[in-house]
């Protein structure tokens, strides 16, 4: 069921299967673009630079025509368009319009490779498929963006276990709904902007995906008391003075929109369900940012919150003023808007703004696991399975006291390697580091006991027996060693360096 009406001036999805067939036949796909343009021009598109792609599409081939028409938004000759498209249907449905002897696109269409090699297409406003948010300036308040770094990040960290129901809150051009359609029986997508819901309908139709239940409204308002197994949202999280741009500005004071979204999610999750968000949060004078975020976590939910980046208030204001194109306009107006951002931050005693990921899992536990950490280092996407495994490990640790841990059998996780750091020729290393080569790519320094423990942890002996053997080698009291080791063992399990011999989850 859809509670929205078609957006005026936008294409109809009626003949989208015919258009999809033509696009795929011409290799207008993620792989086809890379082959045609070459890696440098393809990468330049992500930086909103189109000149290399224009140079690479100067031929008269069908794929050259489609790239210029739908991705680079250049008019093409009518006869060229007719050779590349089911043109009469595309004109009738409004995907393109005729302009004299030329044809031009009415929307951006960007090929996007699905996680299992699917040929998908993300439909967005003109000028907004290339480069993500950087291509949005000057497009108006109701602009609908295409694929950007934030949306692909959220898609990569989302847990992809099969579920009955999924909610994409603030769907935009529909990327998260498209991903969810592959592993959820029922997908609901909401947005305050009715144009965004129509773009989501186009994205799903042109990608050959099932229709979603599209609902118009703010936050959880359109879904009432409905509950879901998965909730995802790349919300308008920008902390700004006012709400000029619907796609990015939440319209609430400070980080209240993100806080409200997280706090309200708990009541909309089924038991065991996940809610995953991208968010900004304030760093306020006299307050620990970690505690600020802990206070957002709803009752009955475990949480894993990762701060990926921090910007001071001047960097933050400049970033989003560039995003909206203000730096290219009247200098006096730019200065006034910059002042307004700094006034807003000063009034709220905000010294910096953090960006990152928030994942909730509805555990119902009276002793919730809430992990808030800073991790600005490179990670390996997709991380969905790493997120699922994180919560499985928290369940394991919560269910095992220290005695149970010492009785347990563990193995070193397959992708973990051990590094010894020290001066050349030295008899003993200065320290030993365990490093993950996949997922979060964590590294942790361990002492002699930790290094010895990890080195022989193959699941054959219990943790307690390994510690007894290490105590004998180091001439330490085994009782003291058993007493002080569980805390370090919990850290190694919790961060994914060790796993029970019978794998968690």
């Amino acid at each position: 069921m859809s509670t929205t009406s078609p957006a005026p001036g936008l294409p109809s999805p009626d003949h989208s299967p015919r258009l999809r067939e033509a696009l795929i036949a011409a290799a207008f796909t993620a792989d086809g673009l890379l082959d045609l343009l070459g890696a440098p021009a393809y990468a330049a598109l992500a930086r909103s630079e189109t000149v290399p792609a224009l140079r690479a599409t100067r031929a008269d081939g069908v794929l050259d025509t489609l790239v210029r028409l739908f991705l680079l938004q250049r008019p093409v000759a009518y006869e060229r368009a007719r050779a590349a498209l089911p043109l009469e249907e595309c004109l009738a449905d409004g995907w393109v319009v005729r302009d004299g002897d030329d044809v031009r696109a009415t929307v951006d269409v960007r090929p996007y490779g699905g996680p299992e090699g699917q040929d998908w297409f993300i439909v967005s406003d003109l000028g907004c498929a290339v480069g993500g948010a950087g291509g949005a300036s000057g497009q108006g308040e109701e602009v609908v963006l295409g694929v950007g770094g934030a949306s692909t990040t959220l898609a990569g960290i989302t847990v992809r276990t099969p579920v009955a129901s999924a909610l994409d809150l603030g769907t935009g051009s529909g990327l998260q709904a498209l991903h969810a359609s592959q592993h959820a029986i029922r997908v609901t997508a909401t947005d305050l902007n009715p144009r965004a819901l129509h773009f989501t309908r186009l994205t799903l139709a042109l990608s050959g995906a099932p229709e979603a239940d599209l609902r118009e409204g703010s936050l959880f308002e359109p879904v009432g008391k409905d509950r879901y197994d998965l909730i995802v949202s790349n919300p308008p999280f920008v902390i700004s003075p006012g709400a000029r741009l619907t796609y990015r500005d939440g319209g609430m004071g400070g980080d209240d929109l993100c806080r409200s979204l997280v706090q309200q999610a708990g009541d909309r999750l089924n038991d065991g369900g996940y809610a995953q968000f991208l968010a900004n949060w304030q760093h306020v004078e006299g307050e620990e940012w970690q505690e600020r975020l802990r206070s957002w976590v709803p009752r009955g939910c475990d949480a894993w919150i990762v701060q990926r980046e921090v910007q001071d208030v001047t960097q933050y204001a400049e970033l989003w003023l560039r995003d909206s194109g203000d730096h290219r306009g009247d200098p006096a107006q730019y200065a006034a808007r910059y002042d307004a951002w700094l006034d807003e931050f000063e009034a709220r005693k905000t010294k910096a703004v953090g960006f990152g990921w928030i994942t909730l899992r509805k555990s119902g536990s009276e002793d919730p696991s809430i992990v808030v950490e800073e991790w600005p280092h490179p990670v390996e996407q997709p991380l969905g399975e790493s997120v699922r495994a994180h919560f499985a490990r928290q369940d394991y640790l919560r269910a095992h006291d220290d005695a149970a841990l010492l009785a347990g059998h563990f193995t070193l996780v397959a992708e973990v390697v051990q590094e010894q750091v020290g001066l050349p020729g030295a008899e003993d290393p200065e320290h030993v580091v365990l490093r993950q080569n996949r997922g979060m790519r964590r590294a942790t320094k361990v002492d002699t006991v930790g290094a010895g423990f990890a080195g022989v942890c193959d699941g054959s002996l219990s943790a307690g027996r390994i510690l007894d053997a290490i105590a004998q080698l180091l001439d330490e009291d085994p009782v003291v060693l058993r007493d002080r080791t569980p805390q370090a063992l919990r850290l190694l399990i919790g961060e994914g360096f060790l796993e029970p011999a019978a794998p968690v989850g």
Side-chain angles (χ1 to χ4, degrees):
M1 172 187 171
S2 173
T3 60
T4 69
S5 56
L10 292 178
S12 162
D14 288 350
H15 298 96
S16 54
R18 286 266 287 145
L19 175 55
R20 171 178 171 79
E21 182 181 322
L23 297 179
I24 292 177
F28 186 66
T29 62
D31 289 341
L33 284 185
L34 183 59
D35 289 342
L36 173 68
L37 303 179
Y42 190 80
L45 285 177
R47 303 191 299 271
S48 302
E49 297 291 348
T50 59
V51 172
L54 286 167
R55 291 174 61 86
T57 55
R58 289 180 290 193
D60 292 334
V62 170
L63 182 54
D64 300 272
T65 299
L66 292 174
V67 172
R68 282 183 165 251
L69 183 65
F70 284 120
L71 195 59
L72 303 178
Q73 291 90 57
R74 294 299 193 276
V76 301
Y78 180 88
E79 292 303 321
R80 286 186 62 183
R82 190 170 67 172
L85 294 167
L87 189 54
E88 296 309 313
E89 288 97 330
C90 288
L91 285 166
D93 286 350
W95 291 95
V96 297
V97 293
R98 188 163 184 176
D99 185 7
D101 293 333
D102 291 333
V103 170
R104 56 183 175 81
T106 60
V107 291
D108 271 331
V109 177
R110 175 173 175 172
Y112 180 88
E116 296 177 3
Q118 302 98 324
D119 290 319
W120 288 345
F121 301 94
I122 310 302
V123 187
S124 64
D125 269 313
L126 287 171
C128 296
V130 177
S137 59
Q139 293 292 316
E141 294 182 2
E142 303 300 318
V143 64
V144 177
L145 298 186
V147 180
S151 55
T152 54
T153 293
L154 178 60
I157 67 173
T158 299
V159 176
R160 297 296 175 195
T161 52
V163 294
S165 58
L167 170 64
D168 176 11
L169 193 152
T171 185
S173 56
L175 177 63
Q176 311 307 326
L178 179 57
H179 274 280
S181 71
Q182 305 303 295
H183 64 101
I185 296 172
R186 176 173 59 90
V187 177
T188 301
T190 72
D191 206 290
L192 184 62
N193 181 0
R195 296 182 76 254
L197 296 173
H198 191 74
F199 273 113
T200 293
R201 181 182 289 112
L202 296 174
T203 288
L204 294 173
L206 197 56
S207 298
E211 292 184 5
D213 178 1
L214 305 177
R215 303 188 187 187
E216 181 181 342
S218 177
L219 298 179
F220 289 102
E221 178 189 34
V223 300
K225 301 292 185 181
D226 292 353
R227 291 173 178 255
Y228 300 88
D229 302 310
L230 174 67
I231 299 171
V232 292
S233 184
N234 176 19
F237 54 67
V238 176
I239 300 172
S240 60
R244 290 173 56 206
L245 299 173
T246 303
Y247 75 87
R248 70 167 204 193
D249 300 325
M252 296 186 184
D255 52 18
D256 284 355
L257 183 135
C258 291
R259 176 184 55 79
S260 297
L261 189 59
V262 173
Q263 289 179 337
Q264 295 173 22
D267 290 336
R268 271 74 177 193
L269 281 175
N270 290 324
D271 290 343
Y274 290 90
Q276 298 187 259
F277 314 104
L278 300 185
N280 274 172
W281 44 79
Q282 297 167 208
H283 285 224
V284 178
E285 292 179 16
E287 177 186 84
E288 294 293 330
W289 68 269
Q290 295 94 334
E291 292 308 309
R292 183 181 191 85
L293 291 172
R294 284 178 179 275
S295 73
W296 292 7
V297 178
R299 186 179 180 85
C301 288
D302 296 338
W304 185 20
I305 301 172
V306 182
Q307 180 166 274
R308 295 287 289 158
E309 185 179 359
V310 182
Q311 291 183 314
D312 67 48
V313 293
T314 60
Q315 292 174 312
Y316 189 81
E318 290 161 14
L319 169 67
W320 295 109
L321 286 167
R322 287 194 301 272
D323 170 82
S324 54
D326 289 296
H327 63 303
R328 292 194 292 266
D330 176 26
Q333 186 177 59
Y334 173 82
R337 284 181 170 161
Y338 200 152
D339 254 339
W341 283 72
L342 296 185
D343 285 344
E344 174 82 2
F345 288 134
E346 185 176 339
R348 295 182 177 278
K349 298 183 178 179
T350 302
K351 58 184 180 179
V353 177
F355 166 80
W357 318 326
I358 298 177
T359 299
L360 307 176
R361 199 270 307 258
K362 187 71 171 287
S363 66
S365 175
E366 293 297 319
D367 179 27
S369 164
I370 302 177
V371 177
V372 184
E373 62 176 323
E374 186 164 18
W375 191 254
H377 312 294
V379 298
E380 183 182 61
Q381 288 272 34
L383 278 169
E385 175 55 26
S386 296
V387 173
R388 188 207 63 80
H390 166 89
F391 287 97
R393 293 193 298 268
Q394 303 312 308
D395 283 345
Y396 179 88
L397 292 172
R398 187 160 43 204
H400 290 75
D401 60 17
D402 288 355
L405 282 183
L406 292 175
H409 294 238
F410 301 93
T411 59
L412 196 65
V413 173
E415 66 269 15
V416 173
V417 297
Q418 179 175 300
E419 299 175 355
Q420 296 187 2
V421 181
L423 295 174
E427 186 173 337
D428 296 310
E430 294 178 14
H431 58 263
V432 176
V433 174
L434 299 181
R435 187 178 301 278
Q436 299 169 350
N437 284 328
R438 302 187 64 186
M440 291 294 285
R441 293 181 173 172
R442 297 185 187 277
T444 186
K445 188 164 68 172
V446 293
D447 60 13
T448 303
V449 173
F453 187 93
V456 298
C457 225
D458 61 3
S460 60
L461 296 174
S462 70
R465 289 190 63 186
I466 292 174
L467 289 175
D468 290 344
I470 291 174
Q472 187 173 1
L473 284 173
L474 299 178
D475 196 24
E476 289 197 27
D477 185 336
V479 175
V480 173
L481 191 59
R482 277 176 171 254
D483 192 48
R484 67 178 172 86
T485 300
Q487 183 176 356
L489 186 56
R490 287 184 181 278
L491 176 66
L492 291 175
I493 296 170
E495 294 193 343
F497 292 95
L498 298 177
E499 62 183 1
V504 176

